[in-house]
Amino acid sequence: MNLIGQALTVVRKDLLLEWRGKGRLISVLMFGVVTLLLFSFAVGPDSTLLRAAAGGFLVLALLLSSTLGLSESFRVEQEQRAIEGLLLLPVDPIALYYGKTLSNTLFLMLLAPVLTPVALILYSVQLDLKGLAVLLGLWTLAAAGLSAPGTLYAAMTSRLQSQDVLLPLLLFPLVIPVLMGAVKSITLILTGDPMSQVGSWAALLASFAIIYWSLCGLLFPHAIEEGI
Amino acid sequence: MNLIGQALTVVRKDLLLEWRGKGRLISVLMFGVVTLLLFSFAVGPDSTLLRAAAGGFLVLALLLSSTLGLSESFRVEQEQRAIEGLLLLPVDPIALYYGKTLSNTLFLMLLAPVLTPVALILYSVQLDLKGLAVLLGLWTLAAAGLSAPGTLYAAMTSRLQSQDVLLPLLLFPLVIPVLMGAVKSITLILTGDPMSQVGSWAALLASFAIIYWSLCGLLFPHAIEEGI
Amino acid sequence: MTRQFKWDSGIGLLGLLLLFVGSYIGLFVAPSERYMGEVQRIMYVHVPCAWNAMLVYMLAFIFAIISLWTHRPKWDAATTAAAEVGIVLNSLLLVQGSIWARATWGVWWDWDVRLTTSLIMLLLFAGVLALRSFVHDASRRATWTAIATIVAFVDVPLVYFCVRWWRSLHQVQSTPDTVAPMMVVPLRINAFAILFIAIWMMTQRARLELDRRRQDQVSEPERLAPIGGSNNA
Amino acid sequence: MSIRATDSATLAIQTRGLGKRFGRQWALAHCDLQVRPGEVLLLAGANGSGKTTLLRLIAGLYKPTQGSMTIYGMDPDQEKLACRRTLTLVGHDNYLYSQLTALEMLQVWTRLRGAELEKAQAIELLREVDLHDRRDYPVGGFSAGMRKRLTLLRTRLEEPRLVLLDEPFSALDAAGQNLIEDWIEGYRSAGKTVVLASHNLPRSSRLCDRAFLLQEGQILWQGTGEAILDQVGTTV
Amino acid sequence: MSIRATDSATLAIQTRGLGKRFGRQWALAHCDLQVRPGEVLLLAGANGSGKTTLLRLIAGLYKPTQGSMTIYGMDPDQEKLACRRTLTLVGHDNYLYSQLTALEMLQVWTRLRGAELEKAQAIELLREVDLHDRRDYPVGGFSAGMRKRLTLLRTRLEEPRLVLLDEPFSALDAAGQNLIEDWIEGYRSAGKTVVLASHNLPRSSRLCDRAFLLQEGQILWQGTGEAILDQVGTTV
Ligand code: HEM
Ligand SMILES: Nc1ncnc2c1ncn2[C@@H]1O[C@H](COP(=O)(O)OP(=O)(O)OP(=O)(O)O)[C@@H](O)[C@H]1O
Ligand SMILES: Nc1ncnc2c1ncn2[C@@H]1O[C@H](COP(=O)(O)OP(=O)(O)OP(=O)(O)O)[C@@H](O)[C@H]1O
Ligand SMILES: [Mg+2]
Ligand SMILES: [Mg+2]
């Protein structure tokens, strides 16, 4: 079977697992909502302050939920060492990586359509439909950028003690460009975009995604050379 | 052996495990530091905004790190079902609960002394030594309040799919009083406390801790009646 | 499948009837409010929803204690039903409140005590149901639902106080509290109407839960005839 | 120890109509078991016949869906801790913390039983299972059989009167299997009760006083250890 | 298939000075193994003697600390995927996703091997291990033996020429053990190579063409299946 076929088989398996454990998506979403709420409590009831930081908080909530989703995606692989069962099969590690990354990207993409409206309401920010569409597009780029290194690191940490701490620890500093790009561009969208800077931030997000999709695909086979 | 002796044995075992896997404490701390950093990126370079929200961000970072620490504390119990080995011994569930809760409280208490200085530097806020002492005292109350329901829920979710999502999901809304109490009182300390309101917030934190230490101690034996 | 007429269907019908009457009075008979105008009439469902949500959560709490005590499936069903109906009322409350807020304050949301408390309450109990959905074993599910319900409910007063203190430095949202008698009547009627409907929904939901359990309940297999061996115990 | 089979106070285990259902599946049903103190009992049966479920029910790790039981006359619901003090179970899992060493694992277990274990005693115990030279190695690096050996030491740490063993011989080498056989003989002569589930019939049938054959969650047959070999030959 | 033991291209497995160290512990050392295609090989040895380590090295799950090997003439470093296509390993773990059903597990495995499994075929396979009536149950609720049976089906899904089995008989009931024995006989007559590690010497020694006795990570002895029974009797 060719690479693409194998990768799609991995995606299919992940979607099946996701479907079986529907709870995971829903609870990651609820986690995101609760995080959005927490931010407003942390800042206090002052709504101007909240509104100024709304874009940042939305992106942070998305990032935190994404990290949880990523580390969950390997939890199920390790439970009865199913991942070893996959590694023993003649599956190209590259197919494995891109399959897993793709299904993680799909998963992360689902977060924004739910969390954005909640953030808009909680932080009393307005956004028209066009703005929303642009925002979702940006998040798709960001999600792709997050899941490329995220999947690599989640695989590498999945069998270590305290993966849930290690993964964000490794990932957060790495994805600061994604964070900043997303925060900046989303804040621009929320506050109106007079200078049309969104484009260049989107370019940053896209290049991050492209670089890490290629780089991590090259590195992953080495990471799993001795199993995970 | 009496209850207290058993509980202390559990604490001792947990401390030994902690000592062996020193990595956990360090990486939870580093996670906290990275989170503090993320907040400043998410809010942007506006330092007044940052300073106004400094207390809130510090508490949020503490809370997020705490949740990770709590869910880790049961990861090691489930890895080879060690917890079942404990449940099979004639250990009073109450002793088990308070032992685990105490060791979690100790763990969480260690977070503030490290994260507070980092937050002070990152957000350029000043604090004298007395203020620092009061802050650490408040965090001790908050840590006790967090770990009581946190330990109960961590135990209950430890064997479910997606514990790492479920635990914060259950815990965050529950500990909003702790969050608010800590944010308010710590912000008061950071900005100076003209009206001496810190006392009443500390009272809130203390009553939360007392209520949940008693309530969860009563409920825990039921939770593990059929094993976890 | 023929179903005999159950007492709760009666209550449900009564509730619908009352809701119709109350809403009629509220919409067409009661005077409109001086400042807010016609939007204010949303109050006749808003306030009853709020009262009943609280009441139903309290029922969930009581059922949870009994369920933990007795381990009987019916109390688990009752706890779940109450928690779910509470969530439904709570969500309705939030939606109505947001619409009202949008119309009067110009924003969908504000960090007022009651608003904030309602939202946290919703999340607390939604967490309970999320936990429940992950537990497959029926008896453990019952225990854990009960525990989580108790833990969540005990938190509500604490949340209320802390949100009040949290707000205290800022102005408290003004709400009209001088109320005309013609406003009180539909409010009362609708409160009972929604209470009855809530009871009806709870019994339906509890029945459904018990039915589901019964479907899973396969009776013990036939006792196998032991072969050979005499009982040499 | 005099025995009257009908008197539950003098029985080590008595179950009445014990049953356990998972979802729509009855893992165990109609289980009436009477075990006298000092007996060695074998549970045999095909995969999925309910052996593990029965042992876990007796150990109090599952709540019965139906029926009741007593352990040395005690009701596990009422006197949970006393029952736990009376019995010990080694199941399919190993109950280990991978970061602790073999020695530390033993100490943790003993302390939680309310006793204290001298280092010399612990080394003596480890020597029994041939792990004494690995005493300071973290158990996470142990082989399957080494883990099993360590966990089986739990039965020797204190004085449980009822020892429940779920496939004690699996993962062990010949020497290990002989050792466990000796242990079980020792328990018998010390008047302790042993219930073991095993697929290693040649070995376990010659150990046991009575054998039970389970099928689809029910006790199909009971008899002596020698008889079960023939029985299994004909039915399985 | 004619065999010249010195020609690595015609050997199923050839290892030269293979060794694996964990920390300060040599789990395997100086391992020179030559396995001809169509042979059934038994690895015996005490707990912790290095059987699992050797099998995992061959399967490519560990990287050797020392030495080299070829599998059907291929270098696993160079031709990883080809090696994986050639071999299959069933180890101590079960490689299952608890939420999937037995049928779905089989389908996932086959698809990843690049084939497609008709439902009828899958049911036929499940029938072989007596799990056909549990095909739509999530495997998380399976008993230890049922999981093992399901995982052992991995050896039948495709056409691996080299089957590595780590304690294939453990957790299985008598019928299951007989079945696996039949399978191994079948593999032998189909010209496949089988390497199994087992503590069930009576059963595995009569199956194998050659037996190896490991001790502390080194091959201590090699001989025929019958001979190992005596050998173990004297050394262990
Ligand atoms: C999402 C938004 C809202 C939520 C969650 C909410 C929640 C509640 C709750 C929980 C109560 C019951 C309090 C009690 O009886 O102690 C209540 C009562 C009430 N609400 Fe709202 N509310 C919202 C928006 C509004 C708005 C926008 C208005 C009008 C401007 C409003 C006016 C009232 C009034 C008049 C009462 C009755 C007060 C009383 O009985 O003293 N609410 N609301
Ligand atoms: N991951 C590891 N880390 C550290 N040491 C290990 C590791 N894996 C194996 N060892 C050590 O290597 C040696 C051989 O282990 P291995 O698992 O190969 O034994 P085995 O022959 O399979 O034993 P068993 O019959 O008990 O399964 C043992 O001493 C073991 O402690
Ligand atoms: N947690 C569970 N959830 C669902 N079904 C279960 C669970 N545990 C056991 N079962 C079912 O109960 C039956 C008996 O299982 P049990 O583990 O007791 O068998 P066993 O006799 O120990 O088998 P083995 O010899 O394979 O260990 C099996 O059909 C199994 O599928
Ligand atoms: Mg079993
Ligand atoms: Mg092994």
Side-chain angles (χ1 to χ4, degrees):
Chain A
M1 196 167 42
N2 54 3
L3 270 185
I4 295 174
Q6 285 191 329
L8 290 181
T9 313
V10 174
V11 174
R12 191 164 154 188
K13 177 217 74 175
D14 276 359
L15 293 183
L16 181 63
L17 277 171
E18 208 55 70
W19 180 247
R20 277 294 142 74
K22 277 178 290 274
R24 180 182 144 209
L25 179 59
I26 294 173
S27 32
V28 170
L29 284 174
M30 276 179 66
F31 169 82
V33 172
V34 174
T35 315
L36 285 175
L37 194 71
L38 282 194
F39 288 141
S40 62
F41 288 124
V43 167
D46 181 352
S47 52
T48 31
L49 208 70
L50 255 183
R51 219 169 296 147
F57 288 166
L58 172 59
V59 175
L60 263 186
L62 286 169
L63 178 64
L64 289 171
S65 323
S66 304
T67 319
L68 282 183
L70 285 170
S71 72
E72 278 307 318
S73 82
F74 275 90
R75 178 69 32 81
V76 57
E77 299 283 356
Q78 288 292 358
E79 200 194 344
Q80 294 188 50
R81 305 282 292 126
I83 187 77
E84 194 165 295
L86 300 191
L87 293 180
L88 280 167
L89 296 175
V91 184
D92 197 308
I94 294 184
L96 193 58
Y97 173 74
Y98 284 114
K100 210 75 193 154
T101 307
L102 188 59
S103 60
N104 278 333
T105 307
L106 291 176
F107 183 88
L108 299 191
M109 275 169 60
L110 293 180
L111 297 177
V114 176
L115 295 191
T116 311
V118 175
L120 294 181
I121 291 176
L122 282 182
Y123 305 152
S124 324
V125 188
Q126 328 252 269
L127 189 63
D128 55 6
L129 271 183
K130 184 174 154 259
L132 193 68
V134 178
L135 196 155
L136 293 185
L138 282 170
W139 175 248
T140 306
L141 290 178
L146 285 176
S147 45
T151 305
L152 176 70
Y153 279 148
M156 284 164 63
T157 55
S158 65
R159 225 196 159 183
L160 304 179
Q161 285 163 50
S162 48
Q163 127 165 85
D164 306 293
V165 190
L166 271 181
L167 177 63
L169 197 59
L170 291 165
L171 199 57
F172 285 174
L174 189 74
V175 298
I176 279 181
V178 177
L179 178 78
M180 288 181 69
V183 170
K184 277 287 168 182
S185 50
I186 288 177
T187 307
L188 285 172
I189 294 174
L190 292 182
T191 57
D193 175 23
M195 284 158 291
S196 234
Q197 290 183 312
V198 171
S200 56
W201 287 111
L204 175 78
L205 290 178
S207 33
F208 188 95
I210 291 169
I211 291 173
Y212 279 98
W213 271 67
S214 354
L215 181 66
C216 297
L218 288 177
L219 295 176
F220 187 79
H222 297 279
I224 62 164
E225 223 162 38
E226 290 199 71
I228 6 180
Chain B
M1 195 166 41
N2 54 4
L3 271 185
I4 295 175
Q6 286 191 329
L8 290 181
T9 313
V10 174
V11 175
R12 193 165 151 186
K13 178 216 76 177
D14 276 359
L15 292 184
L16 181 63
L17 276 172
E18 209 53 70
W19 181 247
R20 277 295 142 72
K22 276 178 290 272
R24 179 182 146 208
L25 179 58
I26 293 171
S27 35
V28 170
L29 283 173
M30 279 178 63
F31 169 81
V33 172
V34 173
T35 315
L36 285 174
L37 199 72
L38 279 196
F39 287 141
S40 60
F41 281 117
V43 166
D46 180 355
S47 56
T48 32
L49 203 72
L50 253 184
R51 218 170 298 147
F57 288 165
L58 172 60
V59 175
L60 261 185
L62 286 169
L63 178 64
L64 290 170
S65 323
S66 302
T67 318
L68 283 182
L70 285 169
S71 73
E72 278 306 318
S73 83
F74 275 89
R75 177 71 32 80
V76 54
E77 299 282 355
Q78 289 290 1
E79 200 195 343
Q80 294 188 49
R81 304 284 290 127
I83 186 79
E84 193 164 295
L86 301 191
L87 292 180
L88 279 167
L89 296 175
V91 184
D92 198 308
I94 295 185
L96 193 58
Y97 174 73
Y98 284 114
K100 209 78 193 149
T101 307
L102 189 60
S103 60
N104 278 333
T105 307
L106 292 176
F107 183 87
L108 300 192
M109 275 169 60
L110 293 180
L111 299 178
V114 177
L115 294 192
T116 311
V118 176
L120 294 181
I121 294 171
L122 277 182
Y123 304 151
S124 24
V125 189
Q126 293 290 241
L127 189 62
D128 55 6
L129 270 184
K130 188 176 149 256
L132 193 68
V134 178
L135 195 155
L136 294 186
L138 282 169
W139 175 249
T140 306
L141 288 178
L146 286 177
S147 45
T151 306
L152 176 70
Y153 278 145
M156 282 164 63
T157 53
S158 64
R159 228 196 156 183
L160 303 180
Q161 286 162 48
S162 47
Q163 132 166 78
D164 306 293
V165 191
L166 264 184
L167 178 64
L169 194 60
L170 288 163
L171 202 56
F172 285 173
L174 192 74
V175 299
I176 280 180
V178 176
L179 177 80
M180 288 189 171
V183 170
K184 271 290 169 178
S185 48
I186 287 177
T187 307
L188 286 173
I189 293 174
L190 292 183
T191 58
D193 175 21
M195 283 160 294
S196 231
Q197 288 183 315
V198 171
S200 56
W201 286 108
L204 177 79
L205 290 178
S207 31
F208 188 96
I210 291 169
I211 291 174
Y212 277 99
W213 272 67
S214 353
L215 182 68
C216 297
L218 286 177
L219 294 175
F220 186 77
H222 295 279
I224 60 164
E225 227 164 34
E226 294 193 65
I228 15 181
Chain C
M1 195 172 73
T2 59
R3 260 179 171 264
Q4 82 249 53
F5 190 75
K6 300 239 173 60
W7 61 269
D8 51 271
S9 314
I11 287 201
L13 281 179
L14 183 62
L16 282 176
L17 195 70
L18 281 180
L19 187 65
F20 183 74
V21 173
S23 305
Y24 181 80
I25 300 177
L27 288 177
F28 302 112
V29 181
S32 70
E33 213 267 347
R34 216 173 326 149
Y35 305 109
M36 290 183 279
E38 302 297 333
V39 231
Q40 173 267 348
R41 294 182 193 278
I42 210 170
M43 178 180 81
Y44 301 116
V45 279
H46 173 76
V47 178
C49 269
W51 288 343
N52 281 305
M54 237 92 84
L55 188 71
V56 168
Y57 282 143
M58 185 140 76
L59 284 179
F61 175 64
I62 294 168
F63 294 156
I65 293 174
I66 302 175
S67 162
L68 206 55
W69 195 267
T70 61
H71 290 293
R72 297 279 273 287
K74 67 174 174 191
W75 293 112
D76 174 49
T79 310
T80 317
E84 278 182 18
V85 172
I87 285 181
V88 169
L89 291 176
N90 201 338
S91 315
L92 283 177
L93 173 75
L94 285 168
V95 171
Q96 297 157 353
S98 289
I99 295 172
W100 197 357
R102 177 76 188 158
T104 56
W105 306 334
V107 287
W108 294 104
W109 185 256
D110 186 83
W111 296 100
D112 163 80
V113 186
R114 275 192 301 218
L115 274 61
T116 312
T117 317
S118 317
L119 179 59
I120 298 174
M121 223 156 50
L122 179 73
L123 291 171
L124 278 171
F125 283 89
V128 174
L129 294 187
L131 174 67
R132 187 182 168 81
S133 75
F134 275 97
V135 190
H136 301 299
D137 180 58
S139 70
R140 180 179 299 186
R141 187 168 57 221
T143 314
W144 289 10
T145 309
I147 288 175
T149 307
I150 293 171
V151 169
F153 187 81
V154 168
D155 203 37
V156 173
L158 286 166
V159 168
Y160 184 78
F161 281 113
C162 80
V163 177
R164 245 174 74 171
W165 292 352
W166 185 62
R167 278 291 311 190
S168 63
L169 287 181
H170 301 254
Q171 87 289 358
V172 179
Q173 202 61 54
S174 54
T175 44
D177 36 16
T178 47
V179 187
M182 241 7 243
M183 290 176 160
V184 175
V185 175
L187 210 58
R188 291 270 156 80
I189 294 179
N190 270 359
F192 279 103
I194 289 181
L195 175 64
F196 289 157
I197 294 175
I199 291 176
W200 174 70
M201 288 201 293
M202 279 193 288
T203 46
Q204 291 302 305
R205 180 66 188 82
R207 283 232 174 88
L208 190 70
E209 185 69 29
L210 282 176
D211 274 353
R212 248 183 232 165
R213 280 197 102 166
R214 222 166 279 133
Q215 270 172 22
D216 281 348
Q217 203 125 29
V218 187
S219 55
E220 262 190 301
E222 290 276 309
R223 192 187 278 271
L224 287 178
I227 51 170
S230 55
N231 194 341
N232 48 359
Chain D
M1 248 175 260
S2 89
I3 295 142
R4 273 177 37 224
T6 47
D7 185 359
S8 75
T10 60
L11 284 176
I13 308 171
Q14 177 163 46
T15 70
R16 290 182 216 87
L18 206 63
K20 177 73 187 174
R21 183 166 54 80
F22 294 103
R24 302 172 60 83
Q25 168 95 17
W26 282 93
L28 195 77
H30 308 299
C31 178
D32 296 305
L33 207 66
Q34 299 192 329
V35 187
R36 283 158 298 188
E39 256 188 322
V40 175
L41 213 78
L42 168 64
L43 302 177
N47 289 136
S49 56
K51 305 178 294 298
T52 300
T53 308
L54 177 55
L55 287 176
R56 289 175 68 90
L57 279 166
I58 298 174
L61 289 175
Y62 286 149
K63 256 198 207 166
T65 314
Q66 220 153 57
S68 67
M69 67 177 159
T70 58
I71 288 167
Y72 281 100
M74 295 175 290
D75 179 350
D77 275 347
Q78 313 282 310
E79 303 170 79
K80 198 145 199 165
L81 280 192
C83 282
R84 295 240 155 112
R85 212 165 288 121
T86 309
L87 63 79
T88 183
L89 163 72
V90 175
H92 290 300
D93 298 304
N94 286 321
Y95 320 136
L96 302 177
Y97 297 102
S98 352
Q99 297 95 326
L100 298 191
T101 66
L103 208 64
E104 286 164 347
M105 279 305 327
L106 287 184
Q107 279 168 343
V108 165
W109 287 332
T110 335
R111 282 208 201 100
L112 284 170
R113 275 199 160 271
E116 202 48 57
L117 191 69
E118 300 292 309
K119 189 164 173 187
Q121 275 176 289
I123 294 175
E124 216 35 65
L125 280 171
L126 287 172
R127 192 185 307 276
E128 250 191 286
V129 293
D130 211 23
L131 286 175
H132 53 287
D133 47 350
R134 299 297 285 271
R135 59 175 173 262
D136 292 323
Y137 282 66
V139 298
F142 279 15
S143 81
M146 291 157 73
R147 286 170 203 216
K148 187 87 183 182
R149 283 161 179 257
L150 182 57
T151 306
L152 281 166
L153 273 185
R154 279 170 67 106
T155 62
R156 301 186 83 66
L157 280 179
E158 261 278 298
E159 293 297 322
R161 283 182 291 167
L162 173 58
V163 180
L164 307 171
L165 299 170
D166 201 352
E167 303 208 32
F169 303 118
S170 84
L172 294 184
D173 56 21
Q177 296 185 21
N178 290 334
L179 178 70
I180 305 303
E181 215 178 307
D182 292 345
W183 285 5
I184 294 176
E185 293 291 358
Y187 295 147
R188 190 216 313 270
S189 41
K192 296 184 183 184
T193 316
V194 179
V195 183
L196 74 153
S198 179
H199 293 302
N200 190 338
L201 291 188
R203 203 175 268 276
S204 47
S205 65
R206 70 171 182 251
L207 263 175
C208 68
D209 300 317
R210 275 195 298 156
F212 286 73
L213 187 65
L214 275 78
Q215 185 179 312
E216 290 174 12
Q218 301 201 36
I219 295 177
L220 188 71
W221 176 92
Q222 58 170 303
T224 62
E226 298 95 63
I228 198 167
L229 284 174
D230 308 329
Q231 188 60 37
V232 168
T234 60
T235 52
V236 181
Chain E
M1 246 175 261
S2 89
I3 296 143
R4 272 181 34 228
T6 46
D7 184 359
S8 76
T10 60
L11 284 176
I13 310 171
Q14 176 162 47
T15 71
R16 291 181 217 86
L18 208 61
K20 176 75 188 172
R21 185 164 52 80
F22 294 103
R24 303 171 56 83
Q25 167 97 17
W26 281 94
L28 194 76
H30 312 300
C31 178
D32 295 306
L33 208 65
Q34 299 193 328
V35 187
R36 282 158 298 190
E39 255 189 323
V40 176
L41 212 77
L42 168 64
L43 302 177
N47 290 136
S49 55
K51 305 179 294 298
T52 301
T53 308
L54 177 54
L55 286 176
R56 290 175 67 91
L57 278 166
I58 298 174
L61 289 175
Y62 287 150
K63 252 195 202 168
T65 315
Q66 219 154 57
S68 66
M69 65 178 162
T70 57
I71 289 170
Y72 280 100
M74 295 174 288
D75 179 349
D77 275 347
Q78 312 284 309
E79 302 171 80
K80 198 145 198 162
L81 279 193
C83 282
R84 295 241 154 110
R85 212 166 289 120
T86 309
L87 62 80
T88 181
L89 163 72
V90 175
H92 290 299
D93 297 303
N94 287 321
Y95 320 135
L96 302 177
Y97 298 101
S98 350
Q99 297 96 321
L100 298 191
T101 65
L103 207 63
E104 287 164 347
M105 278 306 327
L106 288 185
Q107 279 167 343
V108 165
W109 288 332
T110 335
R111 282 210 200 98
L112 284 169
R113 276 198 161 274
E116 201 50 56
L117 192 69
E118 300 290 309
K119 191 166 172 187
Q121 276 175 291
I123 294 174
E124 218 34 65
L125 280 170
L126 287 172
R127 193 186 307 278
E128 250 192 286
V129 293
D130 211 23
L131 285 175
H132 53 288
D133 46 352
R134 301 296 286 273
R135 59 174 173 263
D136 292 325
Y137 283 65
V139 297
F142 278 16
S143 80
M146 289 157 73
R147 287 172 202 215
K148 186 87 185 183
R149 282 160 179 257
L150 182 56
T151 306
L152 281 166
L153 272 186
R154 281 171 66 107
T155 61
R156 298 186 86 66
L157 280 179
E158 261 277 300
E159 294 296 323
R161 283 181 291 167
L162 172 57
V163 180
L164 307 171
L165 299 170
D166 199 353
E167 303 209 32
F169 303 118
S170 84
L172 294 183
D173 58 19
Q177 296 185 20
N178 289 335
L179 178 70
I180 304 304
E181 215 178 305
D182 292 346
W183 284 6
I184 294 177
E185 293 291 359
Y187 295 147
R188 190 215 313 268
S189 42
K192 296 186 183 181
T193 317
V194 179
V195 183
L196 74 154
S198 177
H199 293 301
N200 191 338
L201 291 189
R203 202 176 269 275
S204 46
S205 65
R206 71 171 181 251
L207 262 174
C208 67
D209 301 317
R210 273 196 300 157
F212 286 74
L213 188 64
L214 275 79
Q215 186 179 310
E216 290 174 10
Q218 303 203 28
I219 295 177
L220 187 72
W221 176 93
Q222 60 171 303
T224 62
E226 298 94 63
I228 199 167
L229 282 175
D230 309 327
Q231 187 61 33
V232 168
T234 60
T235 51
V236 181

